[in-house]
């Protein structure tokens, strides 16, 4: 069977993580959460006292850091940051470092290397538009702002998240706005992506829908 590169993009809380992990597991593919790489760099910059606006310093930090997102544990230079990067402070730090083109180019290069052998599901904001413009399958997951805020508020991976859904909704909307309007690789669906609205749908339904897209777009009629 052909080894595909599958790109899953979308805003926060659209269900990318859960869906990408399940699709990868179903296909026996590797799953990579590219957002965790921006989070790890933001975490490290704060820890090392590097200004999140100092593009050269943050890019140098990214360049010299070994970031491993190959399994459920995320490490940066062997420090396990799996839980530490899921906080409101790192939500903001990740979005701040992700605005810097030189930081993006360091991480995009590494993301491309990870896909050299195919058989990968990578999720993020620019995977289908910038990282893999020739991906075999591109899916853009979206959901209503209310539903995305509810999911994020109930996500056990996110520690220290304000309990009120309305507060989560405000923070989420602000971060989405940053991601959509930044000059470097803004969040938008690739023109050839299949857009899936996950509002009101179960994870299982969305996973099946994405697997159908994979069969139709990536594997052709003979692929099952
Ligand atoms: O997906 P997640 O919420 O963990 O991503 C954190 C931040 O990293 C996003 O708000 C976005 O600014 C940035 N990001 C990005 N490009 C990606 C993945 C994430 O700019 N491919």
């Amino acid at each position: 069977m052909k080894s595909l590169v599958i790109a899953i993009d979308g805003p926060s809380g659209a269900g990318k993580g859960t869906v990408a992990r399940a699709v990868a597991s179903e296909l026996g593919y590797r799953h990579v959460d590219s957002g965790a790489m921006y989070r790890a760099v933001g975490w490290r910059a704060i820890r090392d006292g590097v200004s999140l606006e100092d593009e050269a310093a943050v890019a140098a930090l990214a360049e010299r850091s070994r970031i491993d997102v190959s399994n459920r544990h995320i490490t940066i230079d062997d420090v396990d940051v799996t839980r530490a990067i899921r906080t409101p402070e790192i939500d903001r730090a990740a979005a701040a470092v992700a605005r810097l083109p030189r930081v993006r180019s360091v991480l995009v290069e590494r993301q491309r290397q990870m896909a050299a052998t195919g058989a990968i599901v990578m999720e993020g904001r620019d995977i289908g538009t910038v990282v893999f413009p020739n991906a075999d399958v591109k899916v853009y997951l979206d959901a209503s702002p209310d539903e995305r805020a509810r999911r994020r508020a109930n996500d056990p991976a996110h520690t220290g998240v304000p309990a009120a859904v309305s507060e989560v909704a405000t923070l989420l909307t602000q971060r989405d706005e940053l991601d959509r309007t930044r000059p470097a690789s803004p969040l938008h669906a690739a023109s050839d992506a299949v857009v899936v609205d996950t509002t009101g749908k179960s994870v299982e339904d969305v996973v099946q829908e994405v697997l159908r897209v994979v069969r139709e777009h990536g594997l052709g009629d003979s692929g099952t």
Side-chain angles (χ1 to χ4, degrees), residues 34-35 38-39 86 94-95 98 104 124-127 175 179 182:
S34 67
Y38 291 94
R39 288 176 178 273
R86 307 286 168 195
R104 301 199 70 82
R125 302 289 189 292
D126 62 338
I127 308 304
R175 188 152 63 99
D179 288 345
R182 67 182 177 211

Side-chain angles (χ1 to χ4, degrees), residues 167-211:
E167 202 173 330
V168 176
T170 309
L171 294 173
L172 207 87
T173 312
Q174 284 169 356
R175 188 152 63 99
D176 281 354
E177 194 54 22
L178 279 179
D179 288 345
R180 286 184 215 274
T181 56
R182 67 182 177 211
S185 307
L187 168 68
H188 68 91
S191 57
D192 52 350
V194 176
V195 179
V196 177
D197 185 348
T198 69
T199 312
K201 290 181 189 160
S202 70
V203 170
E204 192 42 39
D205 282 352
V206 178
V207 170
Q208 288 311 322
E209 203 167 329
V210 173
L211 286 170

Side-chain angles (χ1 to χ4, degrees), residues 2 16 27 34 39 49 56 81 92 103 118 127 134 136 139 144 151 166 182 194 204 213:
K2 210 177 142 201
K16 296 188 303 287
L27 298 170
S34 67
R39 288 176 178 273
V81 292
R92 284 189 297 275
V103 174
I127 308 304
N134 298 319
D136 301 288
V139 174
S144 72
R151 286 180 190 156
S166 62
R182 67 182 177 211
V194 176
E204 192 42 39
V213 175

Side-chain angles (χ1 to χ4, degrees), residues 123-140:
E123 49 156 312
R125 302 289 189 292
D126 62 338
I127 308 304
T129 51
V130 175
V131 183
F132 305 127
N134 298 319
D136 301 288
V137 179
K138 297 182 188 179
V139 174
Y140 187 90

Side-chain angles (χ1 to χ4, degrees), residues 62-178:
E63 187 79 72
R64 66 173 181 266
S65 302
R66 202 158 20 83
I67 303 170
D68 186 359
V69 288
S70 58
N71 58 27
R72 279 175 167 269
H73 283 265
I74 293 123
T75 62
I76 178 159
D77 286 337
D78 295 326
V79 180
D80 189 324
V81 292
T82 313
R83 284 184 69 76
I85 59 171
R86 307 286 168 195
T87 66
E89 184 189 22
I90 304 300
D91 285 350
R92 284 189 297 275
V97 301
R99 295 179 69 78
L100 308 172
R102 287 170 64 185
V103 174
R104 301 199 70 82
S105 72
V106 171
L107 297 187
V108 166
E109 181 53 35
R110 295 200 189 163
Q111 290 153 8
R112 289 184 179 147
Q113 282 164 8
M114 288 181 208
T117 51
I120 194 166
V121 180
M122 192 174 289
E123 49 156 312
R125 302 289 189 292
D126 62 338
I127 308 304
T129 51
V130 175
V131 183
F132 305 127
N134 298 319
D136 301 288
V137 179
K138 297 182 188 179
V139 174
Y140 187 90
L141 296 183
D142 212 342
S144 72
D146 280 358
E147 176 129 349
R148 295 193 290 111
R150 256 195 317 277
R151 286 180 190 156
R152 181 45 57 91
N154 292 323
D155 183 351
H158 269 254
T159 52
V161 171
V165 174
S166 62
E167 202 173 330
V168 176
T170 309
L171 294 173
L172 207 87
T173 312
Q174 284 169 356
R175 188 152 63 99
D176 281 354
E177 194 54 22
L178 279 179

